[in-house]
């Protein structure tokens, strides 16, 4: 069997094995893994001499380790496994062994095996675990003249580290049971063996220092790992500290990799010791015992970090290690200060360390390498949080803020190697922008501590930049300008309150006052004329952010808008396409203040308006587009182009523009689109005549033209009929002009309604056109419905369009009845077809639920806007029963409870709409009034058809009345019953007694209580009663 297993492993892992044979080998090994006694075969394979190949032994040990961990092996068998493994380890790693035969991979698997046994056997069956391992190293018997075994020592240390990783590594997720087990194991180790383990480390370090760097490194790693959960007095002593500092010092003036590696490992051990959790006074003692301040000073002033800092030999990895040490020490110091009281003696000592460490924190924070800077951001964040709570009135803390703020601002600056906007530096740019976000948070923290300092510092920086730019004739490093503009942009977080910088005509705060001065200097300095694209983009971003300034100072709008117009043709694609959006935002928000400048703007951007659709894989054939633009998503570029169309609509709509000019400008922009659309549709028709499929590029061009027309309309007017708005409806002449756009879009939809892209564009266009067409869209509504609810429309599309119809019904409720009356039946029939289509897959189910929700919502919108009579007109009466039937079907569907609930809501609304006035008083008593339904016979109809539905779901064995959604359904069903009772009174009571109760088996006391609750309880109490009743009847 062992030979068979070995052969299977060799075949399975041999890349040259025949595929069929390899598959059989894998099947065999998979079956072996599932066998409960598989370890009995694999253990001898792993331990045999001469050894099998590494791949065979690795697989065999993996099986054994898995069996031990999973508990498949009984207690006696575990002891047998332990003896076998320990015997092998003594033979291969004992004091007499000079050279290890096993590879590192196999050594790791044996360490894993021993660790697994430790977890299971150490509490009672293997109490000599560490003694047995120490025998391997001959440490217990080692004397001055006897050297411990290097082979055994290294294996011992590996196991010690492995034990920590198994039971004490805080990064591993553990179940409560595993955590309890591991805590118990740590307690046992601390009680039995930790002293001898700590002593062994001392022996190892003294024996192998200067002789075997691998053993010293492993020993320091073990000390660092275990430091978090054992008594530090066992390991932190003068001997260890001297060794650590000696190793650190030796690694500062050498390029020897072994010594630098030991240096970094020693620092890691110090950081692990420093990171142990303890009370404030003990932590302060530890900082002083470890001489952290002196160590940090020594490391920072050492040649690798000081003399070579600005050279190519700068050791960034080492700098990052030291930065983390500074971060940890600062974090602990701030934490101590945060915990101790004002007059506590510890405070002075901690302050001393804070003053000592702060300059080194800023040194690493200011490092040109962002990874090093990021290493100390956590402690700086904690320091500023502490200052926010304690710095007020403390001059010592206040004095630390200016250098911190200066360092933060300096770090915001692009470094000398940056190439802004380069496609080759996109990753670096993204990382730098992410760093800027973190730095921004730090700046906000400084401002929260000392607002006046932040205001003065940023104001001075920005003013100096503008003054230098003017005095130097524009000859200035773009990085300095970018920094000043970036800080000016961020300044708004303090200066702008709720979107305002003015209160009436005065600044709302000192920060707002400074910001107003900055914006004035920004415009006056002419800094937008700098040559670098970053400055141009920042200029536009700032102007758009601080629109209130331009509203208060309209005289500066024209020169700034001129800059925007200049930048929309920018040679840099990033600035160019972003400027299209920013121009739109600038114009839209300042529309009332712009005056009649539409013609100038349209002429300036006219060359950017032609639509040129590009398929996703067509970047190289972009014609006039630059190579940079080829690298940008065609879809993203078109989205940006739509902002230009919206901006044109915005700038043409102010009252200052005469109506005849508005019409002229709109026709000037739209006529080329109409001509292009006509050409594309003719091409499509020609393709259709010869039986060819549509050209995808042609379809995309039609889609883009439709979107451009609709976006232009949306830019011109966002007026929504029948809704309070600050904007007015457009002039009649303008609406008539946009009617041509709607007609063009409808022609495209009718020609290509089999295309999802075209239907999507049409649906989006419909929403945008409502604001400019007003009630002129109503005669077109049947065509919109026919086009958007085609046979190829998905349920999701139908649901989205129904949502749009809801808005139209609300907007034109006083004018829509005749249109609605003519289109309701075909519209509902198409919806019924969509609902009845077979469902396959989760997506289909989600779309069906959405369609049902929108359909029910549409009915409620009609009923809620006093249009309910449209359901029972001569044109639609024949469809009324189908409408009721769909609602009945929904109320019985246990798989879609939200639709069932909403259906009962619809029924309740129908009862209110057609059931006539209430005949029951507020206290539940019957009045003398006779039921007078709006529809003849509707009272009996709702009792016969609506009322029985409340028992449909409760009669379904899969219905769970305790489920939260189910309770909501029952609640709405109860409300419907109360609503029917309020319109029918005694007739409903009689109907229940003589018909419904008999059918569902309710009689006697239950029936009396039911009728009592129905007639005397309010809706809320009856809901609770009905929900409880259904639960009790199950």
């Amino acid at each position: 069997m062992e030979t068979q297993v070995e052969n299977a492993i060799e075949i399975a892992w041999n890349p040259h094995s025949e595929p069929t044979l390899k598959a059989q080998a894998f099947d065999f090994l998979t079956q072996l893994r599932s066998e409960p006694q598989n370890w009995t075969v694999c253990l001898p394979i792993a331990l045999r001499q001469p050894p099998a190949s590494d791949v065979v032994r690795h697989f065999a040990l993996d099986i054994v380790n898995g069996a031990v961990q999973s508990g498949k092996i009984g207690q006696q068998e575990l002891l047998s496994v332990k003896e076998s493994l320990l015997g092998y380890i003594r033979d291969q790693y004992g004091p007499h062994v000079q050279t290890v035969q096993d590879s590192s991979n196999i050594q790791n698997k044996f360490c894993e095996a021993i660790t697994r046994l430790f977890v299971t056997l150490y509490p009672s069956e293997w109490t000599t675990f560490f003694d047995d391992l120490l025998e391997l190293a001959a440490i217990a018997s080692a004397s001055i003249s006897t050297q411990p075994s290097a082979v055994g020592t290294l294996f011992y240390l590996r196991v010690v580290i492995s034990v920590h990783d198994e039971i004490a590594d805080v990064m591993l997720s553990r179940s409560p049971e595993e955590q309890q087990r591991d805590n118990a194991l740590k307690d046992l180790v601390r009680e039995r063996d930790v002293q001898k383990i700590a002593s062994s480390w001392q022996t190892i370090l003294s024996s192998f220092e200067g002789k075997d760097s691998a053993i010293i490194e492993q020993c320091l790693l073990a000390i660092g790992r275990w430091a978090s959960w054992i008594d530090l007095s066992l390991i932190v002593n003068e001997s260890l500290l001297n060794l650590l500092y000696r190793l650190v010092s030796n690694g500062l003036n050498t390029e020897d990799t072994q010594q630098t590696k030991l240096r970094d490992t020693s620092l890691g051990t110090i950081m692990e010791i420093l990171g142990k959790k303890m009370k404030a006074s003990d932590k302060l003692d530890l900082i002083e015992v470890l001489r952290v301040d002196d160590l940090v000073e020594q490391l920072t002033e050492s040649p690798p970090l000081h003399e070579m800092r600005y050279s190519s030999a700068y050791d960034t990895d080492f700098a990052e290690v030291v930065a983390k040490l500074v971060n940890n020490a600062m974090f602990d110091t701030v934490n101590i200060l945060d915990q101790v009281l004002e007059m506590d003696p510890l405070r002075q000592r901690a302050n001393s360390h804070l003053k000592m460490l702060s300059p080194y924190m800023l040194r690493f924070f200011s490092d040109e390498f962002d990874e090093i800077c990021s290493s100390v951001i956590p402690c700086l964040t904690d320091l500023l949080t502490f200052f926010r709570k304690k710095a007020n009135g403390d001059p010592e803390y206040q004095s630390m803020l200016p250098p911190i703020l200066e360092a933060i601002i300096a770090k915001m600056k692009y470094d000398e190697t940056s190439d802004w906007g380069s496609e080759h530096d996109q990753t670096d740019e993204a990382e730098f922008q992410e760093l800027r976000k973190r730095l921004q948070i730090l700046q906000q923290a400084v401002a929260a501590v000392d607002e006046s300092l932040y205001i003065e510092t940023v104001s001075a920086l920005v003013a100096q930049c503008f003054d230098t730019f003017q005095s130097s004739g524009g000859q200035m490093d773009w990085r300095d300008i970018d920094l000043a503009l970036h800080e000016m942009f961020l300044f708004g977080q303090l200066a702008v309150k709720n979107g305002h910088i003015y209160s009436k005509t005065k600044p709302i705060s000192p920060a707002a006052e400074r910001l107003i001065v900055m914006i004035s200097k920004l415009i006056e300095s002419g800094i937008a004329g700098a040559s670098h694209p970053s400055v141009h983009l920042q200029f536009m971003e700032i102007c758009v952010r601080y629109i209130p300034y331009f509203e208060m100072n309209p005289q500066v709008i024209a020169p700034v808008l001129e800059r925007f117009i200049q930048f929309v043709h920018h040679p840099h694609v990033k600035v160019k396409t972003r400027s299209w959006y920013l121009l739109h935002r600038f114009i839209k928000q300042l529309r009332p203040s712009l005056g009649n400048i539409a013609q100038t703007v349209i002429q300036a951007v006219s060359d950017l308006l032609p639509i040129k659709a590009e398929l996703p894989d067509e970047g190289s054939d972009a014609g006039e587009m630059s190579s940079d633009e080829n690298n940008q998503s065609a879809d993203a570029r078109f989205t940006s182009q739509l902002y230009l169309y919206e901006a044109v609509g915005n700038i043409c709509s102010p009252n200052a523009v005469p109506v005849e000019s508005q019409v002229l400008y709109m026709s000037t922009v739209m006529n080329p689109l109409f001509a292009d659309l006509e050409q594309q549709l003719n091409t499509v028709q020609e393709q259709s005549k010869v039986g060819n499929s549509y050209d995808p590029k042609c379809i995309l061009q039609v889609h883009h033209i439709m979107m451009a027309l609709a976006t232009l309309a949306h830019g011109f007017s966002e007026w929504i009929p029948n809704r309070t708005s600050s904007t007015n409806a457009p002039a009649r002449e303008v609406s008539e002009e946009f009617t041509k756009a709607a007609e063009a879009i409808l022609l495209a939809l009718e020609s290509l309604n089999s295309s999802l892209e075209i239907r999507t564009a049409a649906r989006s266009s419909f929403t945008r056109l409502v604001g400019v067409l007003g009630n002129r869209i109503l005669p077109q509504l049947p065509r919109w419905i026919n086009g958007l609810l085609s046979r190829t429309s998905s349920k999701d599309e139908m649901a989205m369009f129904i949502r749009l119809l809801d808005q139209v019904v609300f907007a034109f409720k006083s004018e829509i009845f005749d249109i609605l009356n003519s289109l309701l039946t075909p519209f509902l029939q198409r919806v019924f077809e969509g609902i009845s289509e077979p469902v396959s897959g989760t997506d289909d189910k989600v779309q069906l639920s959405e369609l049902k929700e929108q359909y029910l919502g549409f009915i409620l919108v009609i009923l809620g806007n006093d249009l309910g009579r449209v359901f029972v007109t001569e044109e639609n009466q024949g469809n009324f029963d189908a409408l009721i039937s769909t609602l009945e079907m929904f109320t019985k569907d246990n798989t879609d409870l939200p639709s069932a609930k909403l259906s009962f809501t619809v029924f309740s609304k129908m009862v209110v709409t057609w059931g006539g006035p209430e005949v029951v008083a507020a206290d539940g008593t019957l009045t003398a009034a006779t039921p007078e339904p709006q529809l003849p016979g509707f009272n009996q109809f709702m009792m016969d058809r609506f009322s029985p539905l409340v028992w449909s779901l409760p009669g379904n064995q899969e219905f769970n009345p305790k489920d939260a959604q189910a309770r909501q359904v029952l609640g709405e069903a109860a409300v419907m019953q109360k609503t029917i009772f309020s319109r029918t009174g005694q007739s409903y009571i009689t109907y229940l007694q003589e018909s419904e109760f008999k059918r569902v088996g309710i009689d006697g006391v239950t029936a009396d209580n039911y009728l009592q609750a129905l007639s005397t309880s309010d809706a809320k109490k009856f809901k609770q009663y009905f929900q409880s009743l259904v639960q009790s009847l199950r």
Side-chain angles (χ1 to χ4, degrees):
M1 182 62 175
E2 293 175 14
T3 303
Q4 190 177 2
V5 170
E6 284 192 50
N7 291 337
I9 297 170
E10 294 286 5
I11 292 170
W13 268 265
N14 187 342
H16 305 294
S17 297
E18 195 272 322
T20 304
L21 193 59
K22 177 175 284 197
Q24 292 174 355
F26 272 117
D27 289 342
F28 173 79
L29 296 176
T30 301
Q31 178 64 32
L32 178 66
R33 283 188 180 276
S34 63
E35 294 292 335
Q37 294 296 310
N38 51 14
W39 64 272
T40 59
V41 178
C42 292
L43 183 60
I45 295 176
L47 303 182
R48 79 140 201 252
Q49 292 294 333
S53 67
D54 273 9
V55 68
V56 171
R57 301 179 75 199
H58 187 283
F59 181 90
L61 283 169
D62 200 48
I63 293 288
V64 174
N65 293 342
V68 173
Q69 185 179 23
S70 64
K72 293 179 181 178
I73 308 178
Q75 201 68 13
Q76 291 302 314
E77 293 171 319
L78 271 177
L79 293 173
S80 174
V81 171
K82 167 228 165 183
E83 291 300 330
S84 298
L85 283 172
L86 191 57
Y88 175 87
I89 290 169
R90 283 170 174 157
D91 288 341
Q92 299 298 317
Y93 300 93
H96 59 283
V97 178
Q98 299 299 316
T99 305
V100 181
Q101 301 298 319
D102 295 336
S103 65
S104 295
N105 180 37
I106 297 302
Q107 290 180 53
N108 290 336
K109 293 307 289 185
F110 276 115
C111 285
E112 180 185 347
I114 291 295
T115 304
R116 298 275 184 241
L117 290 171
F118 165 83
V119 170
T120 305
L121 299 177
Y122 182 71
S124 55
E125 285 84 2
W126 197 0
T127 58
T128 60
F129 177 85
F130 291 103
D131 294 313
D132 292 340
L133 291 174
L134 285 168
E135 286 181 9
L136 297 176
I139 289 175
S141 61
S143 63
I144 296 176
S145 59
T146 306
Q147 180 78 5
S149 163
V151 172
T153 298
L154 200 54
F155 187 82
Y156 160 70
L157 291 171
R158 285 187 180 216
V159 174
V160 166
I161 293 172
S162 178
V163 166
H164 163 84
D165 293 344
E166 179 65 28
I167 68 172
D169 189 345
V170 295
M171 301 303 293
L172 293 180
S173 177
R174 293 175 173 84
S175 67
E177 295 77 15
E178 289 172 334
Q179 189 64 58
Q180 186 176 8
R181 177 205 68 189
D182 292 345
N183 289 340
L185 285 169
K186 286 188 287 186
D187 288 340
L188 285 174
V189 172
R190 284 189 285 251
E191 177 186 336
R192 293 175 182 169
D193 294 310
V194 73
Q195 290 188 346
K196 69 179 70 170
I197 295 171
S199 176
S200 73
W201 293 333
Q202 298 285 353
T203 302
I204 291 169
L205 291 174
S206 61
S207 300
F208 289 98
E209 183 186 3
K211 300 174 182 176
D212 194 320
S213 61
I215 290 178
I216 296 296
E217 180 185 358
Q218 288 294 309
C219 189
L220 292 178
L221 288 173
I223 293 172
R225 302 278 178 90
W226 281 55
S228 64
W229 56 282
I230 65 174
D231 186 351
L232 287 185
S233 65
L234 295 171
I235 53 175
V236 178
N237 51 50
E238 199 66 26
S239 173
L240 174 67
L241 295 180
N242 288 338
L243 171 67
L244 290 173
Y245 292 133
R246 192 161 55 249
L247 293 175
V248 169
S249 181
N250 291 342
L252 294 179
N253 298 286
T254 180
E255 295 182 2
D256 183 271
T257 55
Q258 287 188 347
Q259 292 196 39
T260 56
K261 195 173 183 181
L262 284 176
R263 175 199 67 194
D264 293 347
T265 303
S266 298
L267 288 175
T269 302
I270 292 171
M271 283 190 283
E272 292 282 4
I273 293 171
L274 186 61
K276 184 178 178 66
K277 294 180 180 179
M278 60 187 70
K279 62 184 183 179
S281 59
D282 292 340
K283 179 56 69 94
L284 192 54
D285 290 339
L286 180 62
I287 291 173
E288 294 172 350
V289 166
L290 293 176
R291 307 194 291 274
V292 173
D293 296 356
D294 295 338
L295 178 62
V296 168
E297 181 180 12
Q298 178 192 5
L299 294 171
T300 308
E301 298 301 324
S302 66
L305 300 188
H306 182 66
E307 296 171 11
M308 299 179 183
R309 179 176 178 183
Y310 299 105
S311 71
S312 58
Y314 184 43
D315 191 341
T316 55
D317 292 336
F318 179 47
E320 191 171 348
V321 172
V322 179
K324 289 177 180 177
L325 173 62
V326 172
N327 180 75
N328 295 352
M330 278 290 292
F331 173 83
D332 288 332
T333 303
V334 171
N335 190 44
I336 292 167
L337 287 168
D338 198 29
Q339 292 181 40
V340 300
L341 299 176
E342 192 73 29
M343 304 306 296
D344 194 313
L346 292 177
R347 193 174 190 84
Q348 185 176 356
R349 290 167 58 196
N351 273 328
S352 175
H353 292 295
L354 184 67
K355 289 172 63 177
M356 180 68 185
L357 291 169
S358 293
Y360 299 112
M361 174 192 69
L362 292 179
R363 177 263 180 257
F364 290 106
F365 178 80
S366 304
D367 198 283
E368 64 177 303
F369 291 92
D370 294 343
E371 297 84 356
I372 299 169
C373 167
S374 298
S375 296
V376 295
I377 286 180
C379 74
L380 181 53
T381 304
D382 287 343
L383 179 62
L384 292 173
T385 302
F386 167 72
F387 281 170
R388 186 172 185 178
K389 294 186 287 186
K390 303 289 178 71
N392 290 337
D394 190 322
E396 189 173 9
Y397 292 154
Q398 291 280 356
S399 66
M400 297 174 69
L401 283 172
I404 290 175
L405 180 57
E406 290 170 8
I408 294 170
I409 292 175
K411 196 62 187 174
M412 287 274 195
K413 183 179 174 181
Y414 279 95
D415 63 40
E416 297 299 323
T417 61
S418 298
D419 185 10
W420 187 91
S422 169
E423 61 181 282
H424 305 296
D425 273 356
Q426 289 182 2
T427 301
D428 291 342
E429 174 70 14
E431 291 175 351
F432 179 63
Q433 293 304 327
E434 190 62 34
L435 176 63
R436 271 188 164 181
K437 291 178 183 177
R438 300 178 69 188
L439 296 172
Q440 177 185 343
I441 295 171
L442 294 176
Q443 269 195 185
Q444 291 172 335
V446 173
V449 178
D450 192 338
E451 185 175 299
S452 61
L453 171 67
Y454 175 70
I455 292 173
E456 292 296 333
T457 304
V458 173
S459 299
L461 173 75
V462 174
Q464 183 183 9
C465 171
F466 294 157
D467 291 343
T468 303
F469 181 81
Q470 287 181 300
S471 63
S472 66
Q475 300 303 309
M476 190 175 174
D477 190 334
W478 70 268
R479 297 171 182 84
D480 294 321
I481 305 175
D482 175 88
L483 174 62
L485 295 184
H486 182 67
E487 287 295 339
M488 185 176 169
F489 184 85
L490 297 181
F491 195 77
Q493 292 180 320
L494 178 65
V496 180
K497 305 293 184 183
N498 300 319
H500 300 285
I501 57 177
Y502 291 96
S503 176
K504 295 183 179 179
T505 59
K506 295 183 179 180
I508 59 174
S509 67
E513 185 176 1
R514 291 298 185 90
L515 177 62
I516 292 166
V517 173
M518 289 185 212
I519 300 173
S520 299
K521 288 187 175 180
L522 171 77
I523 299 168
E524 293 168 4
S525 68
I527 207 162
S531 60
H532 198 273
S534 167
V535 178
H536 304 157
L537 188 56
Q538 289 270 36
F539 175 82
M540 291 186 287
E541 296 280 5
I542 289 171
C543 291
V544 170
R545 178 163 197 179
Y546 301 130
I547 287 295
Y549 173 85
F550 296 94
E551 293 172 336
M552 189 61 64
N553 300 276
Q555 72 278 4
V556 302
I557 293 177
V560 170
L561 184 59
E562 187 178 338
R563 287 292 187 186
F564 274 78
I565 297 301
Q566 175 188 342
F567 294 148
V568 296
H569 295 89
H570 204 284
H572 196 290
V573 65
K574 180 179 178 180
V575 179
K576 180 179 181 179
T577 52
R578 178 65 178 172
S579 71
W580 298 350
Y581 167 76
L582 294 172
L583 173 67
H584 152 248
R585 294 295 301 165
F586 190 74
I587 290 175
K588 180 177 181 179
Q589 295 179 83
L590 293 173
R591 181 162 32 185
S593 307
L594 290 176
N596 187 8
I597 59 172
Q599 184 175 5
T600 304
V601 174
I602 292 174
Q603 288 176 348
V605 303
S606 59
D607 61 314
L608 301 172
L609 295 178
I611 302 292
K612 185 175 181 181
E614 296 178 71
L615 296 175
D617 59 348
E618 205 179 57
S620 59
D621 299 322
E624 298 176 3
M625 290 175 61
S626 69
S627 59
D628 281 339
E629 291 185 50
N630 291 343
N631 294 322
Q632 189 193 37
S633 159
D635 185 55
R637 184 179 185 278
F638 173 65
T639 300
S640 297
Q641 193 176 17
L642 287 180
Y643 288 121
L644 284 178
Y645 278 94
E646 190 164 352
V648 169
N650 292 152
I651 208 162
C652 291
S653 62
N655 293 331
V657 182
V659 171
E660 59 272 17
S661 297
Q662 291 178 342
V663 174
L664 174 63
Y665 299 150
M666 290 300 95
S667 62
T668 300
V669 176
M670 289 193 292
N671 285 341
L673 296 176
F674 292 154
D676 191 1
L677 182 62
E678 182 179 10
Q679 179 182 347
Q680 300 300 327
L681 292 179
N682 288 336
T683 301
V684 167
Q685 289 178 353
E686 292 299 321
Q687 292 172 343
S688 179
K689 286 179 182 178
V690 297
N692 293 336
S693 58
Y694 299 144
D695 179 3
K697 187 174 181 179
C698 184
I699 296 294
L700 189 60
Q701 181 75 6
V702 172
H703 168 277
H704 284 7
I705 294 171
M706 294 167 69
M707 292 297 296
L709 289 169
T711 304
L712 179 69
H714 182 65
F716 191 92
S717 176
E718 296 177 7
W719 172 72
I720 300 176
N722 202 26
R723 189 175 293 180
T724 303
S725 174
S726 59
T727 57
N728 298 318
R732 176 182 56 81
E733 297 87 343
V734 176
S735 293
E736 289 176 354
E737 194 65 29
F738 277 111
T739 302
K740 299 176 185 177
E743 183 66 27
I745 292 171
L746 276 170
L747 285 173
L749 174 62
E750 290 167 340
S751 302
L752 299 168
N753 72 348
S754 61
S755 167
L756 173 61
E757 283 183 303
I758 299 302
R759 294 197 305 273
T760 301
R763 187 170 58 250
S764 177
S765 300
F766 179 85
T767 307
R768 289 166 167 76
L769 287 168
V770 171
V772 291
L773 296 184
N775 59 10
R776 287 175 177 79
I777 203 169
L778 296 181
Q780 298 177 338
L781 204 52
R783 296 171 65 192
W784 285 104
I785 291 176
N786 288 337
L788 290 171
L789 299 185
S790 70
R791 299 295 173 188
T792 55
S793 297
S794 67
K795 297 179 182 66
D796 194 40
E797 291 180 77
M798 295 170 68
M800 286 189 283
F801 184 64
I802 293 172
R803 195 181 302 130
L804 299 181
L805 285 183
D806 291 348
Q807 300 171 15
V808 174
V809 171
F810 175 77
F812 303 105
K813 60 183 177 183
S814 61
E815 306 166 78
I816 201 173
F817 183 85
D818 291 337
I819 297 292
L820 194 60
N821 188 42
S822 65
L823 62 82
L824 185 64
T825 290
F827 167 72
L828 289 180
Q829 286 175 346
R830 179 66 191 100
V831 175
F832 294 159
E833 291 173 8
I835 290 172
S836 61
E837 288 173 358
V839 174
S840 59
T842 303
D843 289 345
D844 253 10
K845 290 180 181 179
V846 172
Q847 290 187 14
L848 176 60
S849 296
E850 177 68 14
L851 176 58
K852 288 158 71 174
E853 180 184 347
Q854 295 305 321
Y855 161 64
L856 293 168
F858 179 67
I859 298 172
L860 285 172
V861 167
I862 292 177
L863 295 172
N865 285 282
D866 299 324
L867 296 169
R869 66 187 189 281
V870 75
F871 289 112
V872 291
T873 60
E874 183 177 347
E875 291 83 354
N876 298 309
Q877 197 169 14
N879 208 48
F880 185 72
D881 191 65
L883 170 68
I884 299 299
S885 296
T886 58
L887 299 177
E888 290 174 332
M889 177 180 68
F890 294 165
T891 62
K892 300 174 183 178
D893 187 358
N894 187 50
T895 63
D896 188 0
L897 295 179
S899 295
K901 171 181 174 287
L902 197 54
S903 297
F904 279 117
T905 303
V906 172
F907 280 134
S908 296
K909 191 64 178 177
M910 287 181 172
V911 173
V912 172
T913 303
W914 296 312
E918 294 184 351
V919 297
V920 178
D923 60 359
T925 59
L926 299 176
T927 67
T930 303
E932 298 178 4
Q934 296 292 321
L935 298 178
F938 187 73
N939 279 3
Q940 191 60 44
F941 179 83
M942 62 188 179
M943 287 190 287
D944 291 339
R945 297 286 294 271
F946 298 178
S947 184
L949 296 172
V950 303
W951 306 105
S952 299
L953 278 176
N956 186 332
Q957 292 302 312
E958 296 181 358
F959 180 76
N960 178 13
K962 296 181 180 180
D963 176 77
Q965 287 189 330
R967 287 179 59 82
Q968 291 179 350
V969 175
L970 295 176
E972 287 302 314
V975 170
M976 185 194 71
Q977 294 174 80
K978 283 289 293 183
T979 309
I980 294 174
F981 174 66
S982 70
R983 266 62 183 179
T984 57
Q986 184 59 44
S987 301
Y988 190 41
I989 299 292
T990 303
Y991 165 79
L992 291 173
Q993 290 173 323
E994 297 180 356
S995 178
E996 190 165 306
F997 284 173
K998 293 179 180 179
R999 186 169 58 253
V1000 297
I1002 293 179
D1003 54 17
V1005 175
T1006 302
D1008 293 340
N1009 291 340
Y1010 192 100
L1011 296 175
Q1012 179 72 15
L1014 177 65
S1015 58
T1016 61
S1017 302
D1018 59 22
K1020 181 178 180 180
K1021 290 182 178 178
F1022 184 66
K1023 284 169 64 173
Q1024 295 171 347
Y1025 169 80
F1026 186 66
Q1027 290 165 342
S1028 300
L1029 173 67
V1030 172
Q1031 290 184 31
S1032 66
L1033 292 175
R1034 294 304 292 265

